Amino acid sequence: MRGLVLEGGGVKGAYHIGVLKALREMGLADFDGYVGTSIGAVNSALLCAGDWDKTLDMWDKINLHSVFDVNEDNFKNILSGRFNIELLGNVGKIVSNLGGVIDTTTDKMRAFLKKYIDEKAIRESGKDFGLVTYSVPDFSPHYLMKEDIPNGQIYDYVMASSAYPVFKWQKIEGNESKWFIDGGVYDNLPVKMLVEKGYDEIVAIRTNIKKYIGYRKVDTKGAKITYFTPSEKLDYAINFTKENVDRFMEMGYYEAKRQLLGYPSQKYCVKGADDHVFWDFLRRLDKSAVVSVIETRHMKPHRTHDANIEDLLDVIREALGLSAKTGDQQTFIRFLEAFALYFGVPRFRYYEIEEFYNAVMAAARTKSEQTEGGINEVVKAEKGIKSELKEIFILLFSGYNNGV
């Protein structure tokens, strides 16, 4: 069986939708089961019901005012990050603020989501559906598949899974002795639910960067798990702006396509090229600029341009801290990506390698023409790029600029 797991993360759930758009385009979005936490539970419920258009409609209409009834000052406090760190990361402090930190209800969110969550369709889908929530004061996680949820209460439990701790917590009929809060405080990516159901192929879509581990480790029991993970930290979970929704969705789409198509890039969608095409491009690099780069490493230039280019790639590979086994295309693209981000080259589109190189160099030229001191001062101002890489770039840029 093949299943989908969606990580919690509020507005970052738009990243799920972007990835799923890419999967649908490639005929890879057919799943036997859907599980998730928080916004992952919301998206899983919509997907399990089988109405993709309704899912897109929800994300088109969702915004701060449609889901929250909170004043601007309180909202700014939440976005400061204090609640993310002090509360989401510390269940004890959550309990000390029983009933929520922000004095507001979730009535707006409940009314908004009620239009989209269809319990009848979920139960009749023939698909598995599950979610995670957490209860206090008994400090208990609840992993619930749809068959574990009483009839008429799927919506209530989806809301419980999505009960961001700084807001009023959830009560559920039949469990009045407990408060339910966001399952993300315990397991934000419930892969274990599908593993324990015997799924052998799982797609897990994250909303947080790789180094952030907000989920429980699990024995995969031999299941094949494919992760889709944002390449950069996204905004705070509750900042449901139109800009964030659109950007995260677009990012999910292009990052998934890059991964699925096996592009050699890491941040941008730069297509791989046949070796002869790639080398034809490299041979058009300014010869004197290539020689200057290898001479900065006290290396003796070769008689042929090809041999000097091989040394150039080795110099870049070493400066990036990449393994000697890293391919030439991947090495050169990673180098360009560092400067593409700095110069603001558009990310969400497809590039051929030479096209990407030209885009980076053109952006650098524009910036250098606007800055006193030219390219040296422009590159010097960037603190996040190693000095060795800056030196290489300046030399290659000088060769490019002389040839334009």
Side-chain angles (χ1 to χ4, degrees):
M1 293 188 293
R2 186 168 182 266
L4 180 68
V5 184
L6 302 178
E7 185 172 29
V11 67
K12 295 180 281 188
Y15 188 87
H16 300 154
I17 306 305
V19 173
L20 285 161
K21 283 184 176 183
L23 291 171
R24 285 172 64 87
E25 277 188 10
M26 300 184 71
L28 298 172
D30 186 22
F31 298 100
D32 300 297
Y34 304 85
V35 299
T37 301
S38 195
I39 195 64
V42 174
N43 280 339
S44 290
L46 292 166
L47 294 165
C48 184
D51 194 333
W52 177 245
D53 289 338
K54 183 184 278 191
T55 304
L56 294 180
D57 183 68
M58 188 200 80
W59 280 100
D60 182 59
K61 290 184 169 61
I62 200 167
N63 57 57
L64 290 170
H65 301 293
S66 67
V67 295
F68 295 124
D69 184 14
V70 60
N71 69 51
E72 187 174 344
D73 288 340
N74 281 338
F75 190 75
K76 287 179 180 178
N77 284 337
I78 297 168
L79 291 185
S80 71
R82 181 166 62 90
F83 296 115
N84 284 291
I85 296 168
E86 295 182 0
L87 297 177
L88 283 176
N90 188 325
V91 174
K93 287 192 176 182
I94 293 174
V95 175
S96 72
N97 293 280
L98 185 63
V101 177
I102 302 302
D103 185 19
T104 186
T105 69
T106 55
D107 289 349
K108 269 193 171 183
M109 184 187 298
R110 292 180 68 88
F112 179 77
L113 292 179
K114 198 169 184 67
K115 297 181 293 186
Y116 293 98
I117 295 173
D118 185 342
E119 175 160 342
K120 184 174 185 291
I122 292 169
R123 293 209 184 267
E124 295 178 355
S125 66
K127 309 281 188 179
D128 285 322
F129 167 70
L131 54 80
V132 183
T133 185
Y134 192 87
S135 63
V136 291
D138 58 340
F139 302 98
S140 295
H142 300 269
Y143 291 90
L144 302 169
M145 300 303 292
K146 68 182 183 183
E147 57 268 26
D148 304 318
I149 300 173
N151 285 331
Q153 291 192 336
I154 282 183
Y155 164 74
D156 293 321
Y157 276 94
V158 169
M159 287 302 302
S161 180
S162 309
Y164 198 69
V166 298
F167 295 107
K168 289 292 185 181
W169 300 356
Q170 302 296 303
K171 287 278 192 177
I172 296 178
E173 185 178 349
N175 277 297
E176 287 83 356
S177 64
K178 300 177 182 179
W179 294 90
F180 288 89
I181 60 175
D182 196 310
V185 301
Y186 187 81
D187 190 348
N188 211 26
L189 188 72
V191 171
K192 67 172 288 183
M193 296 185 75
L194 294 185
V195 170
E196 291 177 356
K197 290 281 287 185
Y199 279 70
D200 53 11
E201 185 177 354
I202 297 170
V203 172
I205 306 178
R206 301 209 56 196
T207 59
N208 294 294
I209 55 177
K210 187 175 181 179
K211 71 178 182 180
Y212 174 79
I213 306 298
Y215 54 88
R216 300 279 159 168
K217 292 183 178 179
V218 59
D219 178 1
T220 62
K221 299 179 181 178
K224 175 188 176 184
I225 304 177
T226 301
Y227 290 92
F228 291 91
T229 304
S231 63
E232 64 184 57
K233 184 179 179 180
L234 307 183
D235 202 355
Y236 289 115
I238 62 171
N239 197 11
F240 279 89
T241 64
K242 176 67 172 171
E243 180 183 10
N244 274 345
V245 169
D246 290 346
R247 182 168 181 271
F248 299 161
M249 200 176 293
E250 192 172 34
M251 183 185 298
Y253 173 80
Y254 278 98
E255 294 195 340
K257 290 291 288 229
R258 181 181 67 224
Q259 181 174 330
L260 291 165
L261 295 170
Y263 289 173
S265 48
Q266 188 175 45
K267 298 280 189 179
Y268 286 75
C269 280
V270 185
K271 302 176 184 177
D274 291 338
D275 284 343
H276 75 275
V277 173
F278 177 60
W279 272 90
D280 283 348
F281 153 63
L282 290 179
R283 290 184 184 107
R284 290 192 288 275
L285 295 178
D286 184 81
K287 293 181 179 181
S288 61
V290 172
V291 168
S292 295
V293 170
I294 61 179
E295 285 181 335
T296 62
R297 296 298 179 271
H298 308 292
M299 298 166 65
K300 184 177 180 180
H302 300 275
R303 292 183 178 181
T304 67
H305 190 36
D306 278 16
N308 287 331
I309 290 171
E310 288 179 354
D311 280 352
L312 166 68
L313 292 169
D314 285 338
V315 168
I316 293 174
R317 196 175 283 113
E318 182 180 354
L320 287 169
L322 299 176
S323 161
K325 296 180 180 179
T326 305
D328 291 344
Q329 291 190 47
Q330 189 176 23
T331 296
F332 197 73
I333 291 170
R334 292 279 181 88
F335 166 70
L336 292 176
E337 284 184 309
F339 293 92
L341 289 169
Y342 175 53
F343 291 122
V345 174
R347 282 185 62 187
F348 304 131
R349 51 159 295 185
Y350 297 105
Y351 293 92
E352 304 291 344
I353 290 180
E354 186 165 5
E355 180 186 15
F356 186 53
Y357 170 79
N358 288 332
V360 175
M361 292 299 174
R365 186 173 66 245
T366 298
K367 195 106 172 185
S368 68
E369 289 172 350
Q370 299 169 346
T371 305
E372 185 176 352
I375 192 65
N376 285 17
E377 288 302 313
V378 171
V379 174
K380 181 180 178 182
E382 171 52 40
K383 304 299 183 183
I385 299 177
K386 292 170 62 175
S387 58
E388 297 96 321
L389 294 171
K390 292 180 182 180
E391 186 176 20
I392 296 167
F393 184 84
I394 289 170
L395 292 170
L396 292 181
F397 173 80
S398 298
Y400 170 86
N401 215 29
N402 290 336
V404 173

